Amino acid sequence: MKVVGGSASTSLAKELARELSVPLVEVRFQKFPGGFPDGEGYVQLLDSVRGDDVVLVQTTHPDEKIIELFLLQDAIRDEGASRLTAVIPYFGYGRQDKKFEIGEAVSARALARHIQLQSDDVITVGIHNKKALEHFQIPCENVSGMPPLARYLRGRNVNIILAPDENASPLAKEVAEIIGCPWDFLEKERVDNFSVKIAPKNVEARGLSVAIVDDIISTGGTVAVATEHLKVMGARRVLAACLHGLFVANALDRLSECDEIISTDTIFNPTTKVSVAPEIARAIRERVGV
Ligand code: R5P
C-alpha cells in the first residue's frame, strides 16, 4: 500500500502514511516555478505505484483541488496502481445532496459521479449529510472525525459540550461521551449566509468552561453568536471546535471572543491542532483486514 497526498491534504496524507506505516509517494505540483501562466494545474508522481494499493487523500475545496484530484487519479491509474481508494477528508460540494428548485445541480451527485469513475472505493470524514454518500455507486464509508477533537478537549478541562443547533447535537453527544461530561444544544436560526440568531435557552453555563462543537466553521457567524450568548450567560471560557475549518473571509476575526479555536487537518489551517489520520487509518485497516 502507498499513500498519495493532493496539495489540499499534504499534512494529513503524511500523517496517514505514518499511521499505516506505508510509503508516502512524492508528488510534484508544478512543471515550472510559478506554474502554468493560465493557472491550470499539473501533477507528476515521482515514485512508482505500479501494482500498489493506493490511498489518495484530497479535500475537494477550493475548486482547483477538485481538478487536481482528477489529475492525480488519472496519473495513479495510468502508472498501473492495482487499486485506488479516494479519501475525501472534507467533501466540498457535499452539502447540496438534493434539488431544492427546478434547474439546480445536485453538487454532491456531480462530484460523486466523477470521483467514482477512477476509484474503487471512497472514504469521507464527518460528511455534513450522509445522504450525499448515496450518490456513489462504489463502496463508500464515512468515518467520524470527532474522537481526536474529544481527546484534545479532554485535556482542556471542559465542563460541558454544546452544539449550536439540534442538527449538530449527535456531534456534541459523541464528544461528551468520550470525555465523560454533559452536553446540550442551542437553538440556531439562520438569517442569511453570514448571520444567525440563537434563541434564548436556559443552558447552565455560569462559571463553566464550555466547548461549542460543530462540523464546519465557515463564516464564523454561528460560533460567534453562540459564544456571545454563552458569555452573556456567564461562561468562564468558550472554546470552539470543528472538524472542517473553512474560515472564509474574516471568520477568524469574528471569533475573537472565543478563548480557543480548534480544528482538524481535513482542511489544514492555523487553528489545526489534531489529526483525523488515526480514524481514517482504522477504516482502511478494517477494509483490507490488517
Ligand atoms: C450548518 O449546517 C453547519 O453545521 C455549520 O453550523 C455551518 O456551516 C456554520 O457556518 P458559519 O460558520 O458560516 O455560521
Side-chain angles (χ1 to χ4, degrees):
M1 181 179 284
K2 286 185 181 162
V3 174
V4 174
S7 66
S9 301
T10 46
S11 166
L12 175 52
K14 199 170 158 192
E15 275 297 305
L16 183 61
R18 205 179 55 78
E19 279 286 332
L20 291 167
S21 303
V22 302
L24 178 69
V25 173
E26 205 184 326
V27 184
R28 190 170 157 204
F29 294 105
Q30 286 187 343
K31 193 160 179 82
F32 313 104
F36 291 127
D38 58 7
E40 285 185 359
Y42 170 87
V43 303
Q44 182 186 19
L45 306 178
L46 299 178
D47 301 315
S48 169
V49 293
R50 189 152 304 279
D52 288 317
D53 181 344
V54 172
V55 176
L56 168 61
V57 190
Q58 175 80 321
T59 269
T60 53
H61 174 85
D63 287 6
E64 66 264 24
K65 305 302 180 190
I66 300 170
I67 300 292
E68 191 186 277
L69 169 67
F70 298 155
L71 300 185
L72 284 164
Q73 287 179 307
D74 183 78
I76 292 165
R77 286 292 192 207
D78 192 55
E79 290 302 317
S82 61
R83 187 177 169 77
L84 199 166
T85 296
V87 175
I88 316 290
Y90 170 63
F91 188 24
Y93 284 97
R95 285 205 251 185
Q96 178 144 12
D97 67 308
K98 64 179 183 200
K99 185 156 71 177
F100 296 95
E101 288 180 35
I102 292 171
E104 279 184 349
V106 178
S107 58
R109 180 180 62 201
L111 257 74
R113 279 179 174 163
H114 285 87
I115 292 167
Q116 70 191 8
L117 285 176
Q118 296 289 0
S119 307
D120 294 293
D121 54 0
V122 171
I123 296 176
T124 57
V125 182
I127 197 160
H128 184 67
N129 184 346
K130 288 198 183 120
K131 280 213 154 295
L133 295 181
E134 290 171 10
H135 296 299
F136 285 102
Q137 267 136 32
I138 56 172
C140 56
E141 177 180 355
N142 179 63
V143 303
S144 171
M146 300 321 276
L149 284 175
R151 290 192 285 270
Y152 181 88
L153 291 172
R154 190 164 46 198
R156 308 297 286 159
N157 296 323
V158 169
N159 306 116
I160 182 168
I161 305 292
L162 283 184
D165 58 25
E166 198 170 357
N167 289 338
S169 57
L171 306 179
K173 182 170 184 278
E174 188 181 346
V175 170
E177 281 175 357
I178 294 172
I179 299 178
C181 72
W183 67 276
D184 204 340
F185 62 91
L186 299 171
E187 270 151 35
K188 168 178 116 178
E189 188 195 324
R190 184 156 285 285
V191 179
D192 58 35
N193 277 342
F194 287 85
S195 43
V196 301
K197 278 199 273 191
I198 299 276
K201 183 174 174 187
N202 204 12
V203 172
E204 194 42 70
R206 186 154 303 280
L208 299 183
S209 176
V210 183
I212 304 168
V213 302
D214 206 349
D215 60 343
I216 301 169
I217 298 182
S218 178
T219 67
T222 300
V223 170
V225 173
T227 304
E228 208 179 288
H229 186 73
L230 290 163
K231 291 256 163 140
V232 168
M233 293 175 77
R236 181 169 48 85
R237 296 179 75 225
V238 178
L239 291 79
C242 71
L243 270 178
H244 313 298
L246 282 167
F247 302 113
V248 304
N250 63 341
L252 285 171
D253 295 336
R254 297 179 80 185
L255 300 178
S256 58
E257 285 296 304
C258 294
D259 295 282
E260 186 176 351
I261 304 165
I262 305 118
S263 67
T264 77
D265 54 359
T266 63
I267 302 173
F268 197 83
N269 71 85
T271 73
T272 298
K273 289 174 184 159
V274 297
S275 178
V276 294
E279 319 309 308
I280 300 171
R282 188 169 313 118
I284 291 172
R285 280 195 217 101
E286 275 166 19
R287 181 156 304 179
V288 296
V290 293

